[in-house]
Amino acid sequence: MAPKSFIAALVLICVLLLTPSVYGFPFSKESGVTELTPATFSSFIDTHKPVVILFYAPWCGHCKNFHPEYEKFARLVKGSIRVGAVNADTHSSLGQQFSVRGFPTIKYWSSGKNNAPVDYNNQRSAGALQQTVLGDVSQARVKKASGKDELESIVRSAPHKKAAVLISSKTKVPALFSIASLSPKLKDIIFVFVGGVTADKYAELGVSTSPTILFIEDGGEGLKRTVFKGKEIAYDPIARFFLDCATNGTSTEETDNAAPAAEPEHNEPKANPPLAPEALAKNSLRDFCTHSSVKVNGKIPLCVIGLQRTIDLNALHDTFSRDSVLFFDASGSLGELKTALKDDFSFTDGEIDKLLEKNTVVVFRSSKKNLVRYTGDAAGTTAEINDFLQHVLNGEVRLLKKTL
């Protein structure tokens, strides 16, 4: 009879072999954590948003233990904070540049590369990391008003007579609102926080609930108010609302670029999705990139179409192999691509020419019936396109919409 110690060891080996890995290095893009390289690092921190970066080594036990908390943190702050990771074992130059001497090392920038990085030395938990980083967000561009008269006075005296306003029962300015105020795209808008509002003051301020987000503009004929009616209080829809209002738009539609929820499917897939980049064929877009075609990893895929032979689609596929992304090479079949854009996505000749004129890749996602989201990228190198796709998957690139 075999010794008990041998049997126990054998059982342990079997358990380890049959248990799937839960740590997933490198991070998938859909985790909300962007894997960075020396080629993509600088552009990633080029933002007004806070940036948090984990320097790790895949063999590091503490890194593995922190992995699920870091992903949880990325989900909690999605849209308002850029969350990245660097395999400093592979990219040792980045580790040396930022004086990384052990793993895991966490550094954060309170407002992108406009600020020097700070070492995070608090508890390694999603909540503690969130509290620390958001606590360092500057409120310098947020003005405070105590009531209706002061609020209206601030709007009328603003250089461009436009204000993003948050009315809340709470007394502290939310970090999300402060982060939006730092956006260079919203620099012409005054941000005003009216806090500590009790229910008996709602009518005076013209609101019915707390919090209320609105845009106020003095057009010379009185103050015009537009209330945010989005379903989700999150950075992307709120920033888009303010930008649309500031540019004479009134759209309050939420952005949905990163990972749209899959709608129920009733049609069988027409074909199995490709396991590697393949040449674009006549029916590729119809079979793989329309609403009723296929899902990849349980989600409607982002279809990436290369337009030039200089793009290494195989390298991109290796990077994004764990994400819901499909790659097609149209460098030798632009005619088929144009036909597919007409037949499957109802593009006109003018729209096609504009889309294909200067771009090296185009991306599509058809997450809803009769609607496709798309954009192109004119980056010249595979590394730049890699960075672009990471931003698309993280919801940091606003895709254009077309009704089919």
Side-chain angles (χ1 to χ4, degrees):
M1 181 179 293
K4 291 183 179 180
S5 60
F6 173 78
I7 295 175
L10 184 61
V11 170
L12 178 60
I13 292 172
C14 292
V15 170
L16 291 174
L17 289 174
L18 293 174
T19 302
S21 172
V22 296
Y23 297 118
F25 290 116
F27 291 93
S28 72
K29 310 307 172 295
E30 290 170 352
S31 71
V33 181
T34 299
E35 286 281 347
L36 301 171
T37 68
T40 61
F41 191 95
S42 179
S43 62
F44 188 77
I45 66 172
D46 186 10
T47 175
H48 69 281
K49 298 180 180 180
V51 177
V52 179
I53 295 178
L54 167 69
F55 293 84
Y56 73 90
W59 45 261
C60 164
H62 292 301
C63 300
K64 293 179 180 179
N65 291 336
F66 182 56
H67 183 283
E69 282 296 307
Y70 198 58
E71 285 197 338
K72 180 181 178 181
F73 166 70
R75 291 192 295 271
L76 288 172
V77 300
K78 181 180 178 182
S80 57
I81 296 178
R82 285 191 177 181
V83 182
V86 173
N87 181 343
D89 198 34
T90 299
H91 305 297
S92 57
S93 61
L94 282 175
Q96 293 170 3
Q97 180 181 344
F98 292 98
S99 302
V100 174
R101 295 183 174 85
F103 304 117
T105 290
I106 305 166
K107 293 180 180 284
Y108 69 93
W109 289 250
S110 60
S111 182
K113 68 180 183 181
N114 294 325
N115 298 93
V118 177
D119 288 317
Y120 175 80
N121 295 312
N122 296 336
Q123 183 181 359
R124 290 176 190 158
S125 70
L129 184 54
Q130 180 185 21
Q131 184 176 8
T132 298
V133 177
L134 292 181
D136 272 359
V137 174
S138 171
Q139 299 180 9
R141 287 206 68 235
V142 179
K143 294 183 177 293
K144 295 183 179 180
S146 58
K148 176 177 179 289
D149 292 342
E150 188 175 3
L151 169 62
E152 293 183 351
S153 175
I154 291 174
V155 177
R156 290 192 174 98
S157 62
H160 297 276
K161 314 294 184 184
K162 299 177 181 180
V165 180
L166 171 59
I167 298 173
S168 175
S169 60
K170 297 182 178 180
T171 57
K172 185 178 179 180
V173 180
L176 182 152
F177 195 64
S178 298
I179 294 170
S181 74
L182 300 173
S183 171
K185 293 183 179 180
L186 303 174
K187 64 182 180 180
D188 294 335
I189 305 173
I190 294 293
F191 279 70
V192 187
F193 177 71
V194 186
V197 177
T198 54
D200 60 317
K201 297 292 183 180
Y202 287 176
E204 176 187 330
L205 288 164
V207 301
S208 58
T209 186
S210 170
T212 293
I213 298 168
L214 61 156
F215 185 87
I216 302 179
E217 181 176 5
D218 181 4
E221 299 178 356
L223 298 181
K224 175 185 176 183
R225 300 157 60 98
T226 306
V227 178
F228 173 73
K229 297 180 180 179
K231 299 177 182 178
E232 182 184 10
I233 302 298
Y235 181 87
D236 286 337
I238 290 173
R240 173 54 53 186
F241 165 73
F242 289 145
L243 183 60
D244 284 348
C245 290
T247 55
N248 298 319
T250 57
S251 171
T252 60
E253 185 169 355
E254 300 169 56
T255 57
D256 186 22
N257 300 335
E263 295 184 4
E265 286 291 350
H266 303 289
N267 299 327
E268 292 297 323
K270 298 178 182 179
N272 292 322
L275 299 178
E278 66 175 35
L280 184 80
K282 179 180 179 181
N283 295 326
S284 290
L285 298 189
R286 183 179 307 163
D287 290 343
F288 303 115
C289 305
T290 54
H291 168 70
S292 60
S293 52
V294 299
K295 292 187 177 67
V296 178
N297 297 326
K299 296 182 179 180
I300 294 169
L302 184 76
C303 289
V304 180
I305 302 170
L307 306 179
Q308 297 183 8
R309 297 185 187 278
T310 55
I311 304 305
D312 189 347
L313 294 179
N314 288 305
L316 293 171
H317 176 268
D318 290 343
T319 300
F320 296 94
S321 60
R322 298 180 61 210
D323 297 287
S324 302
V325 183
L326 299 177
F327 291 90
F328 300 93
D329 180 8
S331 60
S333 53
L334 290 178
E336 286 87 344
L337 175 59
K338 291 180 179 180
T339 299
L341 290 175
K342 280 186 177 182
D343 296 346
D344 302 324
F345 289 143
S346 303
F347 276 76
T348 65
D349 288 333
E351 290 173 330
I352 293 172
D353 290 340
K354 184 177 180 180
L355 181 62
L356 304 186
E357 181 181 9
K358 296 180 180 179
N359 291 317
T360 54
V361 297
V362 292
V363 299
F364 294 89
R365 175 181 271 135
S366 181
S367 58
K368 296 180 180 180
K369 187 176 182 180
N370 300 326
L371 180 70
V372 62
R373 290 180 169 87
Y374 70 97
T375 192
D377 183 61
T381 67
T382 301
E384 289 171 326
I385 293 173
N386 184 308
D387 190 31
F388 164 73
L389 293 178
Q390 289 177 338
H391 291 317
V392 171
L393 288 170
N394 284 344
E396 296 168 356
V397 174
R398 191 186 189 211
L399 304 184
L400 302 173
K401 295 180 182 180
K402 183 171 180 62
T403 303
L404 304 182

